[in-house]
Amino acid sequence: MQLLWFSAFSAADPKRFVFTEKQMGTDFRIVTYGEKDATVEEAARAAFAEVARLNGIFSDYLDDSELSRLSHSSGTGKTVSVSKDLWTVLAAARKLARDTDGAFDVTVGPYVRRWRAARFFKRLPSPEKLTLARLAVGYRKLTLFPNRRAVRPEAPNMVLDLGGIAKGYAGDRALAVLSERGFPFSLVDAGGDLTLGQPPPGRKGWRVAVGGRKHPDLPLLETANLAIATSGDLEQFVEIGGKRYSHLVDPRTGLGLTTQLQVTVIAHTGIQADSLASALSVLGPKKGAAYAKTLPGVQAYFLQRIGEETVLSVSKGE
């Protein structure tokens, strides 16, 4: 864990601390305010430990993670009891999948693995491989049993992938740990997805450049007690046969997105912002904006490249 601290206040005011640690395949950063260095550092270590614990549950790279073990049970007919954390994420994912008619779907793993190879070899997945993967994809093939907190992956060879929701939940939990230990004036940056606690001392909020200010009309906010997440393919893509394909895959088709779209979502929690950013990227500006308007307190910024022009549209929930 790397630690930096500095203060723009008097000696009696809290110091500003910044901690960074590699977690979930990305840089997690904690910004918080406190007085005693050792106490603050202990809280940050506890927050990072919580993220590491969650990675052991949610990772689809670790063969012994709880998620991987659940995937390995697919097609066996077994109903598997799951932890509270995994249940919370899967239940939230199921609701969003239903609301978006499958634009967000954690069973997308078989498609994602084929597109990882496609980006590496710069060769499109074969239609035969996509057809085979399709047999294991579909949120309706993952049965949830709320009364038992249990799950049954129905189709053989399912690969669950929480890449569009796990970091947001981890940000929420890390922020909760910091608050429980007496540091509510904190921010957690999960590889660009932000979960904001109470504002820094003496300020109205945390200063955040929405969408990296890649358009002059994107706002610079001063806000607190919410979450902000960005997803899209303006920067992460592969070009094959003269066509750009996103790292994001449409679970409904098995194809990488070609929309050249970046979506930034402001929502109540990290899990909501993270998953919505992914879902709205798949839905696109028109359908995504219409859905976002139905969500109280949610704001969505769609930045799309059309030819040489970058077009911004904004949707705000009622």
Side-chain angles (χ1 to χ4, degrees):
M1 180 175 68
Q2 296 178 337
L3 161 66
L4 300 170
W5 72 262
F6 55 90
S7 176
F9 308 97
S10 68
D13 286 322
K15 302 171 185 176
R16 181 177 186 267
F17 292 82
V18 182
F19 304 87
T20 60
E21 193 167 293
K22 185 73 72 175
Q23 294 283 355
M24 290 186 165
T26 190
D27 288 329
F28 264 70
R29 184 171 65 105
I30 290 172
V31 182
T32 192
Y33 290 80
E35 297 176 356
K36 296 182 179 180
D37 297 14
T39 306
V40 177
E41 185 171 350
E42 182 181 345
R45 289 190 184 280
F48 284 133
E50 175 69 356
V51 177
R53 183 186 71 83
L54 292 172
N55 188 59
I57 296 173
F58 299 149
S59 175
D60 65 309
Y61 285 93
L62 299 175
D63 197 55
D64 62 345
S65 72
E66 186 179 1
L67 185 75
S68 293
R69 295 197 304 271
L70 181 60
S71 294
H72 295 334
S73 75
S74 64
T76 65
K78 293 181 180 178
T79 300
V80 181
S81 296
V82 298
S83 66
K84 182 179 178 181
D85 294 297
L86 185 54
W87 175 262
T88 299
V89 171
L90 290 178
R94 166 55 60 87
K95 183 180 185 305
L96 186 56
R98 286 174 171 166
D99 288 349
T100 60
D101 197 23
F104 184 86
D105 188 345
V106 297
T107 71
V108 73
Y111 287 148
V112 170
R113 291 191 172 185
R114 281 156 179 80
W115 279 93
R116 284 175 185 165
R119 290 196 301 274
F120 181 81
F121 293 108
K122 296 190 181 302
R123 185 172 61 242
L124 292 176
S126 70
E128 294 78 15
K129 287 185 177 181
L130 289 179
T131 298
L132 188 62
R134 189 168 294 119
L135 298 175
V137 175
Y139 71 91
R140 294 182 181 87
K141 299 172 184 177
L142 187 68
T143 304
L144 273 60
F145 299 88
N147 294 336
R148 300 161 56 188
R149 205 171 75 190
V151 182
R152 186 169 63 227
E154 306 287 0
N157 303 313
M158 292 184 77
V159 180
L160 303 178
D161 186 328
L162 304 181
I165 191 170
K167 283 196 304 178
Y169 180 75
D172 289 335
R173 287 297 310 137
L175 190 67
V177 168
L178 292 165
S179 183
E180 289 162 3
R181 287 176 172 258
F183 300 97
F185 311 103
S186 300
L187 171 154
V188 177
D189 178 353
D193 292 347
L194 306 177
T195 307
L196 313 179
Q198 294 184 32
R203 284 171 44 186
K204 294 180 179 179
W206 300 90
R207 294 190 181 97
V208 179
V210 171
R213 295 297 302 276
K214 292 176 182 173
H215 188 281
D217 292 332
L218 282 169
L220 179 63
L221 302 179
E222 189 169 18
T223 188
N225 296 311
L226 49 71
I228 304 174
T230 297
S231 184
D233 62 352
L234 284 185
E235 296 179 351
Q236 294 190 58
F237 62 90
V238 63
E239 189 168 312
I240 302 174
K243 192 171 185 177
R244 285 175 37 146
Y245 293 90
S246 172
H247 70 294
L248 296 174
V249 178
D250 187 337
R252 302 165 301 181
T253 65
L255 300 178
L257 301 182
T258 60
T259 49
Q260 297 189 45
L261 176 68
Q262 174 183 287
V263 180
T264 298
V265 172
I266 301 175
H268 302 288
T269 62
I271 189 174
Q272 185 185 30
D274 189 13
S275 57
L276 276 176
S278 299
L280 298 184
S281 295
V282 173
L283 286 173
K286 187 176 180 179
K287 291 182 178 180
Y291 175 56
K293 285 181 180 178
T294 70
L295 304 172
V298 168
Q299 299 178 44
Y301 296 82
F302 299 83
L303 194 61
Q304 187 173 24
R305 186 170 293 133
I306 303 175
E308 298 300 316
E309 187 178 5
T310 302
V311 179
L312 174 67
S313 58
V314 182
S315 179
K316 296 184 179 182
E318 300 299 331

